[in-house]
Every structure is written in C-alpha cells, then in structure tokens.
Amino acid sequence: MLRRSSLRIALASLAFAAALPAHAGFWSSLIDTTPAGLARSSDDRPGDWASFWSDTRAGAEKIMSDGNSVWILPTYTNHPRWDWPQRSEENGWPMGMGLARGIIDEKGNERMLYLITFVDSNYRPEPMAGYTWVARWPLGNSGFHVGAGYLAGLTMRGDYMWAPVPLPLPLAKVGTDTVSFYGTWIPVTNVFFFFSTITLDDAKGRKMPLSPESPWVKTPNLLYGSWGWQYTDNGEKYSPSRVASDTVWNAGLRRYSGRSWQTDLKYSRSSHEVTRADGPGKNDLRIESYTLTLAYNMDWAKTFRLFAGAGFGYSKGETRYASDWSLHPALTLGFTWAAAENFFITGSMDTNFARFKGVLEDRGDGYTVRSMPTSFTIGAGLAF
C-alpha cells in the first residue's frame, strides 16, 4: 500500500498549492467550513487568525452540545483492479463501529465530529477520529439529497508503525436526514472507503434524565443468549488457508449505567473448518472468546436503542493438533429492544482481532491464523 506513495503525496501537495491563489477569498471560505467558521457565524463576528483556535474549540463544543447523535457502520473498502492486481489478498469488509455528533448549519451544510474503528485492508484494527463538512443539495421534493465536501482527521495504522497520520480527504454522500451513505477516495493508496450512518434526532432528548420507569433504569441488568453467523477471513498475504464461516452462539451479562452507557461481559463459541488452498489438509478450528466492552447508547424510541462501543477480549483457538490464546481489541455495534418489562431482544455485530499461532497441522509452528471473527447474532434475555 506504500508503493508510489511519496510521489502521490508530492503531486497532491503541488496541486493543492497551485490552487490556493485561485481566488482571494480561499482561506476565508475554507475557515467558514471548519468548526471555527461555525462558531463565528453563530456569534455573527468575522474572527481572525488570533482567535482561530478558540473559535475552533467553541465550534466543536457547539456540535457536541447541539448536534444529533450519529451511528456509523463501516461498509466497504474497494481496491480498484487497475491499481490492485492482487486485490483478492486485501480485506474489503471493514467490520467495525463508529459514533459521531452532527449538525446542520444555517446554510444547510452538514458538519460532523466522528470517531470510528474498523478492520483495515491488512486485517488490523484502524482507529480514526476527526471532522467532516459536506455541502448538500436536495433532489427535488424526494427527501433525498446529495453532498460533497471533505473529511479531516487522524488515523493510526499498523503498517505505518501506529504513528498518527493526517487525513485530508474528499467526501461525497447520498441519503436523507436520517440514513446516509458516504464515500471517500484515499489518493496515497488508491483505495475507496465507504460507510453508512443513521442519525437520531436526540439533541434535546439526550439532555433529559431518564424516567424512573424507563426500562434501562427500572431493569438495568440483562442476562441474555444469542445465536447467529460468524464471518471469518484468514487475512494472509497469499491466503494459503481457507477458514470457513459458520454458526456461533454466545451468552452475556449487560449492565446499563448513567444516561447512555452499557457494559457487556460476553462469552462466545464457534467451530470452523480450515482447508489448504494448495492441496489436501483439513483442520477443525474451535474459537472461544471472552470480551468486555463499553458501549454508548442512542435512544431511537423509549424502548429501542442503538449502541456502539469497544473493549478487549481473550480468545482461544484450538484444533486436535494444538491450541493458542490471544489478547486483542474487540468492537461491538447493535441494538436493544425492551419488548416487555422483563424481556429484551438484542442483536449485534461483534469483531475480535484474535491471532492464533501454530494451531494448524502441516503449516509449521510459525504459521499464524488471523481469522478476524465477526459475529452477527440476535437473541433475547431476562431483564432485572
């Protein structure tokens, strides 16, 4: 992913520098799109460079205070064939989760502060945080709109030694005020990244305390079990092994606390057939995981919530040949419906970054399975 990156960065920098004098108001227009511009417009004052950082802080605080909550689902990573002849070796499914706070300014433009973590092209966790600005144009009276703008922020990647990397990227979207689909192009690597969002109109409601009769207060504990399908991808450069996706079941204990938080302790178990890509050889890999996650809840209705969060996990991979254990990050995203006073229905997508070394027969002790197990489950439980 680093090939030709220096040349591309240089060309992009030259193009950007050449565009600066295109019109005299470039910097003023650019600042208007930042959080500082939001603060200045709301205060009806022009501002200057001396106050830029204080205005940026004020604008960010306004977005966090007055904006609506946004639930983010990383959706797809496209490695175009014209630049990625080995695209089958890269991960195209960025399983993960994200949260944001978004606001529509007086001009109808969208501004958003976001935090997102997903599985990158090399099957490692990639956190990203920053700000987006999008100008929107309605599509007649359909309720849909299209938009274009930019994404700015920082990310950290394993192939960059986990050093913070700045992200000035173009951004396009299509959707409604509630559901939207976004796409960006990463010029350094020639990769297209897509994500989806659900925006909840909760700017006022989340500032109000929960009623004592709220199910999240009255019955703050949930003992549940669920069942579903676990997606796996070995994630190796030359994919010498195929790890089959299969069913998974889990059991967990959840505790609701404060206005919007939940803590989950969860156990899951699954079994997968592993075959060689280049000939005979088969293993049955059993994965057991224990995870502890903290998630933020957004109220869609009084009895229905969306949540997204992260934590840590312990996983054990075992075959008849050997076993290995792994400590790893864990991501969770899902919903909970308080269907009755003591009966909740919950569903989630849970991603673990487990690594198992030396567990496959005839692969060698140095061979590591990076299965990236992601579970899609639905279940029910007793609330008390």
Side-chain angles (χ1 to χ4, degrees):
M1 294 181 67
L2 298 178
R3 64 183 188 280
R4 300 194 299 276
S5 62
S6 297
L7 176 61
R8 287 174 178 157
I9 293 173
L11 290 175
S13 300
L14 287 173
F16 179 73
L20 291 185
H23 60 88
F26 175 83
W27 285 113
S28 177
S29 298
L30 179 61
I31 291 174
D32 284 345
T33 69
T34 68
L38 178 64
R40 293 174 182 181
S41 64
S42 62
D43 292 341
D44 194 24
R45 57 192 176 88
D48 52 39
W49 279 109
S51 63
F52 175 76
W53 295 114
S54 61
D55 289 342
T56 296
R57 177 178 177 180
E61 290 176 348
K62 181 175 178 60
I63 293 173
M64 293 300 295
S65 175
D66 299 344
N68 289 318
S69 297
V70 184
W71 191 73
I72 305 176
L73 175 64
T75 307
Y76 183 60
T77 303
N78 177 259
H79 302 82
R81 193 176 301 278
W82 45 266
D83 199 47
W84 291 88
Q86 78 284 18
R87 62 185 298 183
S88 61
E89 300 168 7
E90 309 295 330
N91 175 45
W93 303 107
M95 310 297 188
M97 64 86 198
L99 293 167
R101 195 63 56 76
I103 195 170
I104 306 300
D105 63 25
E106 74 280 358
K107 296 180 181 179
N109 301 321
E110 174 187 296
R111 302 166 184 264
M112 187 165 66
L113 293 170
Y114 67 89
L115 172 65
I116 184 173
T117 303
F118 56 91
V119 183
D120 73 6
S121 298
N122 297 316
Y123 301 88
R124 299 185 182 101
E126 179 175 354
M128 184 187 302
Y131 169 80
T132 69
W133 177 88
V134 175
R136 310 193 314 173
W137 299 277
L139 297 176
N141 296 319
S142 65
F144 284 84
H145 60 262
V146 296
Y150 66 86
L151 175 154
L154 291 173
T155 188
M156 294 188 296
R157 292 176 56 93
D159 47 358
Y160 291 106
M161 304 298 293
W162 300 108
V165 178
L167 286 175
L169 299 175
L171 188 65
K173 70 166 292 189
V174 60
T176 68
D177 287 344
T178 302
V179 179
S180 294
F181 184 69
Y182 296 78
T184 186
W185 171 57
I186 307 172
V188 174
T189 57
N190 263 344
V191 168
F192 295 89
F193 179 75
F194 301 93
F195 61 94
S196 306
T197 64
I198 296 177
T199 301
L200 303 185
D201 186 12
D202 67 346
K204 296 180 180 179
R206 70 168 181 270
K207 299 176 182 179
M208 299 172 60
L210 291 172
S211 164
E213 296 302 312
S214 166
W216 326 113
V217 175
K218 192 174 182 180
T219 51
N221 304 294
L222 177 63
L223 182 64
Y224 64 93
S226 55
W227 178 89
W229 177 70
Q230 188 170 81
Y231 168 81
T232 57
D233 192 324
N234 199 32
E236 294 166 328
K237 186 175 181 181
Y238 300 105
S239 298
S241 298
R242 302 285 188 265
V243 183
S245 300
D246 213 324
T247 56
V248 62
W249 64 268
N250 58 49
L253 177 63
R254 179 178 301 166
R255 170 73 179 183
Y256 293 99
S257 58
R259 177 63 177 80
S260 305
W261 297 98
Q262 70 180 43
T263 304
D264 267 271
L265 179 63
K266 183 182 293 186
Y267 169 80
S268 66
R269 181 169 176 172
S270 61
S271 184
H272 308 270
E273 183 180 87
V274 186
T275 57
R276 292 188 70 100
D278 56 356
K282 184 170 71 174
N283 291 263
D284 289 318
L285 174 65
R286 186 177 69 183
I287 300 176
E288 291 183 288
S289 297
Y290 298 86
T291 58
L292 180 64
T293 57
L294 177 67
Y296 181 81
N297 282 272
M298 295 166 282
D299 293 324
W300 193 316
K302 291 183 179 180
T303 60
F304 190 89
R305 286 184 151 188
L306 299 176
F307 64 81
F312 297 92
Y314 165 86
S315 294
K316 180 180 179 182
E318 184 176 14
T319 67
R320 63 181 181 180
Y321 173 72
S323 64
D324 190 30
W325 60 271
S326 174
L327 292 175
H328 54 79
L331 306 175
T332 186
L333 176 143
F335 73 89
T336 309
W337 174 35
E341 183 175 353
N342 298 104
F343 179 72
F344 289 5
I345 294 175
T346 186
S348 64
M349 179 183 77
D350 301 286
T351 299
N352 293 323
F353 294 85
R355 305 287 190 257
F356 305 120
K357 186 176 182 180
V359 299
L360 299 184
E361 191 175 6
D362 301 327
R363 308 295 202 277
D365 292 340
Y367 185 93
T368 300
V369 176
R370 299 189 293 175
S371 56
M372 195 192 74
T374 298
S375 301
F376 300 85
T377 60
I378 188 167
L382 173 67
F384 58 96

